[in-house]
Structure formats: structure tokens, C-alpha cells
Amino acid sequence: MSFRIRHLDHVVLRVRDMDAAIAFYTGVLGCREERRLEEIGLVQLRAGASLIDLVPGEPDAAGANMDHFAVRIAPFDEASLRAWLAEHGIETEAALPRYGAEGTGPSIYIRDPDGNTVELKGPPTGLGAA
């Protein structure tokens, strides 16, 4: 294997009531608001070294409200990572720069056997955010 998981980077939750969710995570759990992307309704909360991202939305048909979770991996060598995943029958698209707990860096989305979306997140590069 060409990489190792270092830590959980972030979790993205779909929430029905953004104000109530923010109040819970900040007021009850002690997170702090770090960033907002108004155009998509995203609120990112700092939870120690990780992030909890909140997006407006309803649970899916099965009642789940987790959009995806991200794990920080190292090293992030896109070619070898995609080759490794292909060997295991996992389809990928090209890596894109996305914001995470450590800043903006490359990431690839994949699905586990149950259809959960997992983001494989590389180190921060400081390039554009998506």
C-alpha cells in the first residue's frame, strides 16, 4: 500500500436546522465556527484538530444524514493512489483541491462497500479551495 491514514480530517453532516446545529456544536460541545461558504450553505466548525462541516439538507431515504467523512493520508501520490484503488476495483476521478482541517489540499472521493463516501485527503498545498 502506498499510503497510511494519519487521522480523521472532517465529517460532513446534513442538518435540517442550521441554527440549532450550530448552537449545539458550539454551545454544548465547545466547537468554534471557522469558516462559512454562503453560496452552498456550508458552515465549518473546528473540533480540536478536525472539522465538523454542516450543510443544509435532509436525511437520505435510509434516514442517514452523514454526507461523507475524510481521512488524512500520507503520502498523497495521486498516480500510485489511483493505481492502488484501481487494483481493488475502486473507481476514482482526478484529485481536486479541497479545504480540510489543515487547509486546502488534494483529495479524492471514493465509496466503501456500503456506499458511504470517503474522502482521501492529502496535505495542505495552499492552492484554491472547492
Side-chain angles (χ1 to χ4, degrees):
M1 188 161 62
S2 62
F3 66 92
R4 289 185 12 187
I5 293 177
R6 295 176 45 121
H7 55 82
L8 182 67
D9 187 89
H10 64 274
V11 174
V12 181
L13 301 175
R14 291 186 295 270
V15 299
R16 290 184 185 119
D17 183 334
M18 185 64 73
D19 292 335
I22 292 170
F24 173 80
Y25 285 104
T26 60
V28 176
L29 296 186
C31 297
R32 68 172 170 76
E33 187 173 319
E34 181 163 308
R35 183 171 104 124
R36 285 183 183 237
L37 295 177
E38 298 291 344
E39 61 274 12
I40 59 173
L42 172 77
V43 176
Q44 294 181 302
L45 306 172
R46 176 61 56 183
S50 301
L51 292 174
I52 298 171
D53 295 353
L54 306 175
V55 295
E58 296 290 326
D60 64 18
N65 71 326
M66 184 181 75
D67 183 79
H68 74 275
F69 69 93
V71 291
R72 170 70 159 80
I73 63 169
F76 191 96
D77 177 321
E78 183 177 357
S80 62
L81 177 59
R82 291 180 70 195
W84 171 260
L85 294 169
E87 285 178 28
H88 291 83
I90 300 170
E91 295 182 22
T92 63
E93 295 182 6
L96 293 174
R98 295 185 177 94
Y99 189 80
E102 298 175 321
T104 301
S107 77
I108 292 175
Y109 286 116
I110 62 172
R111 292 208 179 261
D112 75 7
D114 291 304
N116 296 303
T117 302
V118 180
E119 180 180 354
L120 303 177
K121 189 87 180 68
T125 61
L127 302 176

